[in-house]
Amino acid sequence: MDAEVKIRYRNKAVPCTIEPSGEDNYLVRFARPRKAVTPGQSAVFYDGDRVLGGGIILEATREKGKHEEEHQKPAENEGKRGKRSRH
């Protein structure tokens, strides 16, 4: 089923696909990878303004796909530290 999902109250809903995965669980695939999806967070599903349902995230995994490289590159200055000079 295609829908939109919000995992944070203030974030915009993003496209996803929802698939049954066991008796009471569902697999949610984001159209584009999302950062900081964390077990324990709520996920609320929408069709436009209509709430379809929601649940608690049990596990977050990252699938390799066409957008993987784009989201794995560190920021240009990430991890770099300036050198201190002693006078």
Side-chain angles (χ1 to χ4, degrees), residues 34-53:
R34 306 300 301 169
K35 291 183 179 181
V37 177
T38 307
Q41 289 178 311
S42 294
V44 181
F45 304 99
Y46 296 88
D47 179 12
D49 291 337
R50 191 173 125 226
V51 175
L52 299 174

Side-chain angles (χ1 to χ4, degrees), residues 6 23-24 32-33 36-38 45 51 55 81:
K6 285 176 76 170
E23 190 174 321
D24 292 325
R32 292 185 57 98
V37 177
T38 307
F45 304 99
V51 175
R81 295 181 182 204

Side-chain angles (χ1 to χ4, degrees), residues 51-72:
V51 175
L52 299 174
I56 304 298
I57 298 170
L58 299 177
E59 181 181 0
T61 60
R62 184 177 201 90
E63 291 183 347
K64 291 188 178 187
K66 63 183 179 181
H67 302 293
E68 182 72 14
E69 181 180 74
E70 174 183 336
H71 291 277
Q72 290 297 314

